[in-house]
Amino acid sequence: QKEVEQNSGPLSVPEGAIASLNCTYSDRGSQSFFWYRQYSGKSPELIMSIYSNGDKEDGRFTAQLNKASQYVSLLIRDSQPSDSATYLCAFMNYGGSQGNLIFGKGTKLSVKP
Amino acid sequence: ETGVTQTPRHLVMGMTNKKSLKCEQHLGHNAMYWYKQSAKKPLELMFVYNFKEQTENNSVPSRFSPECPNSSHLFLHLHTLQPEDSALYLCASSQVWPGIEAFFGQGTRLTVV
């Protein structure tokens, strides 16, 4: 069973701090990793994708991937109250269910003003 | 007009009812998906359609019946559901399958009584 593990939170950080969200995955053959943001009552929205080891930066967001440790993280710099949401980690499963996204349960982030 | 539109947004149905969920995408995509999101569980893939052909049925009970008349429309027909089927049902689309970036609709909040 291919799985994604995330701390469900809630993770609470003060405004302006760095929020660090972590995720581990079970499928060593996975090549593609994604972070989705889901506001309460809304649909998931893709915010970051990462395919190779190292860091990928996009504005205030940095995704980090370590395939050897099967670990992916999302850093949010200068956190804002508008970043309060549930963050879903996902990887692309190229195995038996070829080409489908496998999601974690999500980490709820709360940014306090 | 949003990219992926789902109707209805909320649905309450009895266990003996028959109802249908509708999804329409205006993105010119060729792959469409149904996901189920339950409280405290990861997003679960239910069905995948690629160019109107079903490519994935993720061991979904037969009381859920999908229909994809064309690449822009996707239905989920529901009959004799159980209370544990209450969840948020999300439709998504991507350019092709396997798809890297999936765009989600707002979801239908289903309650089975």
Side-chain angles (χ1 to χ4, degrees):
Chain A
Q1 183 79 8
K2 302 187 192 308
E3 292 183 341
V4 178
E5 294 290 336
Q6 292 183 256
N7 187 327
S8 61
L11 173 66
S12 184
V13 300
E15 184 175 357
I18 296 175
S20 178
L21 304 163
N22 305 312
C23 172
T24 59
Y25 58 94
S26 62
D27 183 6
R28 189 170 286 278
S30 296
Q31 298 295 320
S32 309
F33 305 87
F34 310 92
W35 283 99
Y36 281 78
R37 177 177 62 199
Q38 187 174 21
Y39 292 113
S40 181
K42 303 293 185 181
S43 58
E45 172 193 14
L46 181 66
I47 55 172
M48 287 288 282
S49 58
I50 186 167
Y51 306 104
S52 54
N53 279 328
D55 295 359
K56 179 182 177 183
E57 187 175 319
D58 184 359
R60 294 186 296 111
F61 298 95
T62 298
Q64 299 174 317
L65 174 61
N66 183 324
K67 291 185 179 181
S69 301
Q70 297 178 241
Y71 176 91
V72 60
S73 65
L74 180 70
L75 301 178
I76 306 175
R77 290 182 300 281
D78 189 23
S79 296
Q80 302 297 308
S82 59
D83 295 325
S84 298
T86 295
Y87 289 80
L88 306 175
C89 175
F91 70 88
M92 184 69 78
N93 173 7
Y94 289 109
S97 298
Q98 195 174 36
N100 293 317
L101 285 170
I102 306 296
F103 285 88
K105 296 180 183 180
T107 298
K108 188 172 184 179
L109 173 66
S110 177
V111 182
K112 303 294 186 185
Chain B
E1 189 174 66
T2 58
V4 181
T5 304
Q6 289 186 242
T7 54
R9 293 293 308 276
H10 300 273
L11 178 62
V12 180
M13 60 185 289
M15 289 189 283
T16 58
N17 291 157
K18 289 185 180 180
K19 296 287 184 183
S20 295
L21 310 185
K22 179 183 177 182
C23 177
E24 183 175 2
Q25 57 95 2
H26 309 278
L27 301 169
H29 289 169
N30 295 298
M32 297 188 76
Y33 312 79
W34 280 116
Y35 282 88
K36 176 183 178 182
Q37 189 173 36
S38 305
K40 302 188 188 305
K41 285 188 175 182
L43 271 167
E44 300 172 61
L45 179 67
M46 299 176 72
F47 301 104
V48 179
Y49 278 82
N50 193 38
F51 291 93
K52 302 188 300 177
E53 297 298 319
Q54 188 179 126
T55 59
E56 184 82 17
N57 177 337
N58 202 22
S59 302
V60 180
S62 59
R63 57 185 183 269
F64 296 91
S65 175
E67 178 189 1
C68 188
N70 55 61
S71 294
S72 299
H73 293 85
L74 185 64
F75 296 89
L76 188 63
H77 304 300
L78 315 171
H79 65 96
T80 58
L81 294 193
Q82 304 298 312
E84 59 265 29
D85 296 323
S86 299
L88 180 67
Y89 288 85
L90 289 161
C91 174
S93 71
S94 61
Q95 184 63 47
V96 291
W97 178 83
I100 297 298
E101 183 167 359
F103 292 83
F104 284 85
Q106 295 294 332
T108 295
R109 175 66 64 184
L110 174 67
T111 303
V112 181
V113 297

